[in-house]
């Protein structure tokens, strides 16, 4: 008889059920010797694979009756473990029975007799078993609950068909059915584990593999790697970058910075380190406007290659990844403006400006390293000057919190 139902997070719903069982021998062992254990109990404890009930498999609904003196216990089951529901109901003190069972799980009360409510409910169950040895009328989910869901009805019909098929199997008459079932179940479990391991070792288990292959194709099309995966010069340059590796490398190899002044270069590079989306609109010089358009044109070219290779990106998304909100601030800072004046031309917080310029100095260092890598000492000197222009005053002062 079902006593209570609880919803368990992550485990669905569980039911506390009072069931009949063989009465346990609660006698304590004498002189510290363990109580004797039957060979049947030893065999059942050594097996880790549960054996299905043959009557349950064949569709039989015979009720269990303890062969000796009847006992009882409260067990927790899930919905999957309930084979059928009957129309029979009993009047019991569910809360008291559950509480009595919990109390008797404690070492102090483990050998205490069951409560009067538990005994009364057990006697009702036993009389029910004696009066209906062949089982009770089952609760029909489709007819009694008036289920209209077609998929649920088909699943219930499928259960009935499977029961009929199982009841006709000759293997159920085998005296060694339990042993054979355990061996078959173990073999199937091992086969499932083998299949799972083979899947995890295969490329099919890699969810990002298609995107990885698409990115490889993009790098190959842009000349960063060869068809055989060998790294080319552009790939070696991109490897030393830490932000927008492909974009910055394309800016270098397309000579976008070649004719620009150091102030213009650091101003344009601020778009790859500044991350704030919304801020006041800066004022751009004609040179910065031209440089920004050239940068966006290169972004559009890269996005076009990515789209051709099957990547799920758009040109607008690629352009929106760059933020030019601090271009004017960085340009004037490189021109020597004091920090107090910069805060008057933008609504970006002072701390954000400081972090952006510090990260910008690191980006300039990456570009300088890349220029040395492909052999351009003149541009390397220009980037050295650009770093010196922004690495000054309060932005790079030693912090009192870290020193």
């Amino acid at each position: 008889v079902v006593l209570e139902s609880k919803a368990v997070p992550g485990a669905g719903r569980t039911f506390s059920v009072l069931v009949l069982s063989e009465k346990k021998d609660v006698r304590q062992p004498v002189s510290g010797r363990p109580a004797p254990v039957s060979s049947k109990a030893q065999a059942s404890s050594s097996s880790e694979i549960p054996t299905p009930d043959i009557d349950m498999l064949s569709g039989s609904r015979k009720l269990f009756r303890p062969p000796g003196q009847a006992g009882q216990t409260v067990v927790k089951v899930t919905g999957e473990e309930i084979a059928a529901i009957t129309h029979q109901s009993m009047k019991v003190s569910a809360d008291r029975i559950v509480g009595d069972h919990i109390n008797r799980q404690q070492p102090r009360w483990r050998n205490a007799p069951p409560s009067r409510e538990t005994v009364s409910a057990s006697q009702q169950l036993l009389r029910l078993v004696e009066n209906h040895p062949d089982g009770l009328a089952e609760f029909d989910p489709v007819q009694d609950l008036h289920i209209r869901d077609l998929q649920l009805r088909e699943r219930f019909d499928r259960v009935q068909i499977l029961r009929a098929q199982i009841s006709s199997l000759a293997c159920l008459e085998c005296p060694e059915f339990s042993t054979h079932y355990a061996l078959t179940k173990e073999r199937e479990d091992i086969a499932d584990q083998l299949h799972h391991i083979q899947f995890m070792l295969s490329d099919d288990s890699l969810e990002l593999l298609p995107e990885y292959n698409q990115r490889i194709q993009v790098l190959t099309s842009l000349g960063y790697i060869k068809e055989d995966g060998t790294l080319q010069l552009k790939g070696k340059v991109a490897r030393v970058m830490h932000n927008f590796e492909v974009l910055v490398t394309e800016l270098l190899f397309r000579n976008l910075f070649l004719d620009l002044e150091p102030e213009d270069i650091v101003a344009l590079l601020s778009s790859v380190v500044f991350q704030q989306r919304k801020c006041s609109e800066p004022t751009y010089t004609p040179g910065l406007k031209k440089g920004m358009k050239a940068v966006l044109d290169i972004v559009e070219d890269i996005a076009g290659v990515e789209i051709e290779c099957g990547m799920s990106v758009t040109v607008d998304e690629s352009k929106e990844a760059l933020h030019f909100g601090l271009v004017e601030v960085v340009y004037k800072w490189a021109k020597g403006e004091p920090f107090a004046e910069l805060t008057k031309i933008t609504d970006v917080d002072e701390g954000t400006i400081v972090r952006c310029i510090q990260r910008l100095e690191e980006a300039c260092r990456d570009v300088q390293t890349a220029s040395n890598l492909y052999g351009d000492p003149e541009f390397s000197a220009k980037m050295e000057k650009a770093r010196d222009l922004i690495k000054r005053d309060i932005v790079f002062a030693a912090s009192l919190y870290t020193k």
Side-chain angles (χ1 to χ4, degrees):
V1 58
V2 177
L3 301 175
E4 66 176 5
S5 171
K6 289 184 178 181
V8 180
R13 184 168 291 276
T14 61
F15 303 87
S16 295
V17 183
L18 176 67
V19 297
L20 293 177
S21 63
E22 297 183 30
K23 191 170 184 180
K24 297 180 181 179
D25 185 2
V26 297
R27 293 174 299 176
Q28 296 296 329
V30 181
S31 303
R33 296 180 180 177
V37 181
S38 65
S39 59
K40 182 178 180 181
Q42 291 176 349
S44 61
S45 63
S46 62
S47 176
E48 298 180 356
I49 301 176
T51 303
D53 189 296
I54 295 180
D55 291 335
M56 188 69 68
L57 286 175
S58 61
S60 175
R61 289 295 179 264
K62 292 183 179 180
L63 300 181
F64 170 75
R65 180 176 181 178
Q69 189 174 1
Q72 71 285 315
T73 185
V74 176
V75 296
K76 289 187 179 295
V77 299
T78 62
E80 290 79 4
E81 297 174 301
I82 299 178
I85 303 174
T86 70
H87 292 277
Q88 192 72 33
S89 61
M90 295 171 50
K91 187 176 181 180
V92 297
S93 300
D95 294 339
R96 294 186 178 182
I97 295 175
V98 173
D100 174 63
H101 173 74
I102 295 175
N103 290 335
R104 288 190 290 120
Q105 299 305 307
Q106 302 177 16
R108 181 180 178 183
W109 307 107
R110 184 163 297 168
N111 297 330
S115 66
R116 182 179 59 184
E117 291 80 10
T118 303
V119 173
S120 175
S122 302
Q123 291 175 348
Q124 292 186 60
L125 278 178
L126 188 58
R127 286 195 297 269
L128 187 66
V129 171
E130 293 173 347
N131 295 332
H132 303 85
D134 294 329
L136 299 168
E138 292 184 10
F139 188 85
D140 191 314
V142 176
Q143 299 298 329
D144 296 331
L145 294 180
H146 306 289
I147 294 178
R148 297 291 182 265
D149 190 295
L150 183 60
Q151 292 184 350
L152 280 179
R153 295 176 66 96
E154 290 178 350
R155 292 176 65 182
F156 285 124
D157 293 340
R158 177 62 176 166
V159 169
Q160 299 299 327
I161 294 173
L162 291 177
R163 285 180 178 175
Q165 293 176 349
I166 291 175
S167 63
S168 62
L169 296 177
C171 62
L172 298 179
E173 305 297 331
C174 176
E176 300 294 332
F177 173 79
S178 298
T179 303
H180 296 165
Y181 176 86
L183 293 174
T184 304
K185 181 68 166 59
E186 183 178 10
R187 183 181 63 185
E188 292 297 325
D189 289 344
I190 294 175
D192 290 341
Q193 294 176 12
L194 177 61
H195 178 73
H196 176 70
I197 293 174
Q198 289 175 340
F199 172 76
M200 295 303 295
L201 293 176
S202 67
D203 291 342
D204 296 335
S205 65
L206 302 177
E207 296 182 1
L208 299 179
L209 183 62
E211 183 180 352
Y212 168 78
N213 291 329
Q214 292 167 357
R215 291 184 181 276
I216 290 294
Q217 188 176 354
V218 170
L219 295 177
T220 304
S221 301
L222 292 175
Y224 287 75
I225 58 176
K226 296 181 180 179
E227 293 291 342
D228 60 356
T230 305
L231 202 62
Q232 299 199 70
L233 179 59
K234 292 176 71 174
K236 295 178 181 179
V237 170
R239 188 173 57 182
V240 303
M241 304 296 177
H242 293 86
N243 293 288
F244 289 84
E245 297 87 348
V246 174
L247 173 60
V248 177
T249 303
E250 290 297 317
L251 295 178
L252 292 176
F253 277 81
R254 299 191 188 191
N255 297 323
L256 178 65
F257 297 146
L258 193 61
D259 299 328
L260 296 179
E261 296 298 323
E263 298 87 347
D264 298 320
I265 296 175
V266 292
L268 294 176
L269 282 178
S270 68
S271 62
V272 303
V273 296
F274 181 54
Q275 298 178 347
Q276 186 171 320
R277 292 180 176 274
K278 296 182 179 180
C279 62
S280 57
E281 184 67 21
T283 301
Y284 306 109
T285 65
L288 289 177
K289 288 183 178 179
K290 182 179 179 181
M292 289 170 53
K293 182 180 182 305
V295 170
L296 293 176
D297 289 342
I298 294 177
V299 170
E300 185 173 351
D301 293 342
I302 297 174
V305 175
E306 291 176 340
I307 295 173
E308 291 177 0
C309 294
M311 293 185 62
S312 57
V313 298
T314 64
V315 176
D316 291 338
E317 290 177 352
S318 299
K319 290 182 178 181
E320 291 174 358
L322 297 178
H323 305 107
F324 296 94
L326 284 187
V327 168
E328 181 185 8
V329 170
V330 172
Y331 179 80
K332 291 189 175 182
W333 177 253
K335 283 289 189 180
E337 291 279 349
F339 190 83
E341 295 297 325
L342 301 183
T343 59
K344 298 178 181 179
I345 62 175
T346 182
D347 58 357
V348 179
D349 295 338
E350 291 88 343
T352 303
I353 297 175
V354 169
R355 287 193 298 272
C356 176
I357 296 177
Q358 290 175 346
R359 293 184 60 196
L360 178 59
E361 192 274 334
E362 296 174 357
C364 292
R365 187 191 313 159
D366 293 340
V367 174
Q368 183 182 4
T369 303
S371 63
N372 293 328
L373 189 63
Y374 63 79
D376 191 344
E378 183 177 349
F379 184 71
S380 177
K382 181 183 289 188
M383 292 308 303
E384 179 70 25
K385 181 180 179 181
R387 290 177 58 193
D388 294 338
L389 290 176
I390 62 175
K391 192 175 182 180
R392 63 180 178 87
D393 295 348
I394 191 174
V395 174
F396 287 87
S399 175
L400 296 176
Y401 296 99
T402 59
K403 296 295 183 180

